[in-house]
Amino acid sequence: MRLRDLPSVDELARQSDDPLAVEVARKVVTRAREQIQQGGDPGDLGAQLQAELTSARAPHLRRAINATGVIVHTNLGRAPLADAALDRVREIAQGYSNLEYDLTAGGRGSRQDHVADVLRRLTGADAALVVNNNAAAVMLALAALAEGREVLVSRGELIEIGDGFRIPDVLERSGATLHEVGTTNRTRAADYETAIGPETAVLLRVHQSNFRVVGFTAQPSLRELADVAHRHGLPLVDDLGSGALVDFSDEPTARASLAAGADLVCFSGDKLLGGPQAGIVVGRADLVEKLRRHPLQRALRADKLTLAALEGTLALVIDAPDEIPVLRMLRESPEVVRARAARLAELVGGEVEETIAKAGGGALPLTELPSFACAVEEELAVKLRTGDPPVIAVVRDGRTLLDCRTLTDAEADEAAAAIAAARP
Ligand SMILES: *Cc1c(COP(=O)(O)O)cnc(C)c1O
């Protein structure tokens, strides 16, 4: 094709009655002109117009199938929600609700009241507050309790959690000043004790979520830290990160942290809790009230969809934890996972491969969950990833592994169909 044979943008756009046709035709013609100038052949412009229109109409945020074996996968949306939680979202989002309306008094109520009771019951706390995510929870706690004053943190806990979220930066943004104590590998209760001065407002403990320090190490227990803080009339804030509500492996629970003396505990809604993205703060009523009254609370608070999903998830924590997908995946027996992998392997002519799944989300970095994958040809990985729905697998030793711990039975069937479609 020569330049003068190119259709005009309008001519090409007339092949479709889609309102986006002119914009998309301009892109197709521009690209074709460049290809001709470089000596190439632009091909069938009408077909390109249709393909570009289809992709422009497709949602950009899409469901994906997680065959990586990383349960709380931050890049893949962390925690899938339980059906009961989704039902609550649909019910509340569909119409009006008592989000900030007190049905008994017939007047203004607080959005923070809906999940406070169940959080108190699950953690033993006096009070609770929910904000957008755990980074917001930590920031709000420090802003409300330590703005313009000092926060003591161990040098072993000045961590980066992911995507540049660093404790020292959050602390600075909250308006508090960081006072480092101890060393990277060893910090003692006495280090905090000697660092406390007239400017000290809070002792902060940060759970070493996504790494462990091993070897010549020392860390005060939470109870020792709480004793130091309370002797000086200061609050101890514990950033738990993952915040398990159900005992799992060596991950500390919010209840245990409060029982050991933490005054406020902050944790994520969409890590080991298995709910929506949220930051949950539980603890002493007077401190939670300070957070609630701080101007940042208004900017950081959770929306009604989050609160609905969280209430739905928290109800299951008590009654039916295995209906929460994250908890089911964490606790499912290796035999069940193996059976799923065997069925998938049979459907696609793959091989069952023993492997290791991970909790992810910066939780339990040393915990290896025994798992089983279905192994297929290496070259399928890209096609699976770019297919519909996308299937995200792991390439290892020249093969594509689909870890079956992070698949439901229905997703294993979808993965089988995707593999069949990806093969030449
Ligand atoms: C994950 C994590 C956070 C951040 O939580 P988000 O809910 O992702 O904002 C903060 N602190 C710790 C220790 C974490 O592990």
Side-chain angles (χ1 to χ4, degrees):
M1 194 187 275
R2 292 163 303 181
L3 277 179
R4 65 164 181 269
D5 299 328
L6 270 181
S8 72
V9 169
D10 284 337
E11 274 166 0
L12 181 60
R14 274 199 290 278
Q15 294 187 18
S16 162
D17 51 13
D18 190 310
L20 294 180
V22 174
E23 185 191 321
V24 170
R26 184 168 294 120
K27 178 178 166 186
V28 171
V29 171
T30 304
R31 188 173 55 207
R33 185 174 300 121
E34 286 166 7
Q35 283 167 335
I36 293 171
Q37 282 164 345
Q38 286 162 12
D41 181 0
D44 183 345
L45 301 193
Q48 288 173 31
L49 176 75
Q50 288 312 327
E52 290 281 348
L53 280 170
T54 305
S55 103
R57 291 263 164 221
H60 199 272
L61 179 60
R62 294 161 68 198
R63 182 173 84 92
I65 293 181
N66 175 10
T68 65
V70 179
I71 295 174
V72 180
H73 198 305
T74 296
N75 301 150
L76 300 181
R78 287 201 184 161
L81 290 179
D83 285 339
L86 291 169
D87 290 345
R88 299 286 296 133
V89 173
R90 189 166 175 81
E91 177 191 339
I92 295 306
Q94 209 162 30
Y96 296 99
S97 63
N98 64 337
L99 180 66
E100 294 190 349
Y101 188 74
D102 183 331
L103 296 170
T104 315
R108 193 185 164 85
S110 167
R111 69 174 60 213
Q112 295 292 352
D113 288 346
H114 305 296
V115 292
D117 275 340
V118 63
L119 283 170
R120 280 197 290 263
R121 213 173 307 132
L122 283 168
T123 63
D126 296 330
L129 184 92
V130 181
V131 290
N132 178 63
N133 58 5
N134 189 37
V138 174
M139 179 175 241
L140 177 60
L142 297 177
L145 305 182
E147 199 158 8
R149 300 179 62 203
E150 277 183 8
V151 176
L152 305 190
V153 191
S154 161
R155 290 194 170 90
E157 297 173 0
L158 293 173
I159 61 173
E160 172 171 321
I161 286 126
D163 202 21
F165 174 77
R166 292 176 162 177
I167 290 293
D169 299 338
V170 174
L171 222 147
E172 189 182 322
R173 290 286 164 186
S174 73
T177 311
L178 169 65
H179 186 139
E180 301 177 17
V181 304
T183 62
T184 304
N185 57 329
R186 291 172 74 86
T187 302
R188 299 176 189 79
D191 294 325
Y192 290 87
E193 186 101 46
T194 51
I196 291 175
E199 286 309 307
T200 310
V202 165
L203 271 62
L204 174 66
R205 206 231 8 190
V206 184
H207 179 49
Q208 297 180 334
S209 346
N210 46 7
F211 72 107
R212 291 286 185 268
V213 180
V214 295
F216 187 55
T217 64
Q219 233 189 333
S221 70
L222 203 60
R223 189 171 296 280
E224 287 174 296
L225 258 187
D227 287 345
V228 172
H230 299 160
R231 260 204 303 281
H232 295 269
L234 297 170
L236 172 64
V237 175
D238 190 14
D239 173 13
L240 270 187
S242 308
L245 290 178
V246 176
D247 262 318
F248 188 81
S249 191
D250 63 349
E251 193 67 20
T253 62
R255 176 180 286 278
S257 174
L258 289 169
D263 298 286
L264 281 187
V265 177
C266 307
F267 55 98
S268 277
D270 57 351
K271 289 185 180 172
L272 294 186
L273 174 49
Q277 178 190 302
I280 299 168
V281 187
V282 293
R284 252 167 62 188
D286 60 323
L287 300 180
V288 171
E289 187 58 20
K290 279 192 183 167
L291 269 60
R292 204 176 66 80
R293 290 178 181 283
H294 193 277
L296 266 182
Q297 191 269 137
R298 172 69 194 229
L300 301 176
R301 68 190 188 179
D303 78 309
K304 63 182 179 180
L305 307 187
T306 300
L307 292 171
L310 187 59
E311 192 177 16
T313 307
L314 292 172
L316 292 176
V317 170
I318 304 171
D319 297 332
D322 282 331
E323 286 179 28
I324 299 173
V326 166
L327 294 184
R328 176 187 61 74
M329 290 186 268
L330 275 172
R331 288 147 41 126
E332 197 162 62
S333 81
E335 288 68 43
V336 174
V337 180
R338 189 211 301 263
R340 189 176 299 123
R343 197 171 61 83
L344 179 55
E346 177 147 353
L347 285 171
V348 302
E351 277 169 35
V352 176
E353 180 90 10
E354 200 164 351
T355 180
I356 301 287
K358 288 288 208 175
L364 303 163
L366 302 185
T367 302
E368 302 193 327
L369 303 164
S371 190
F372 291 90
C374 166
V376 294
E377 309 89 283
E378 177 177 8
E379 55 275 18
L380 296 183
V382 175
K383 277 195 170 162
L384 288 173
R385 194 181 74 224
T386 53
D388 184 28
V391 178
I392 319 297
V394 178
V395 173
R396 196 164 67 214
D397 299 333
R399 289 189 304 170
T400 298
L401 299 186
L402 291 98
D403 193 313
C404 287
R405 187 170 281 280
T406 48
L407 299 180
T408 62
D409 290 334
E411 285 170 336
D413 288 336
E414 286 183 281
I419 289 166
R423 283 193 173 128

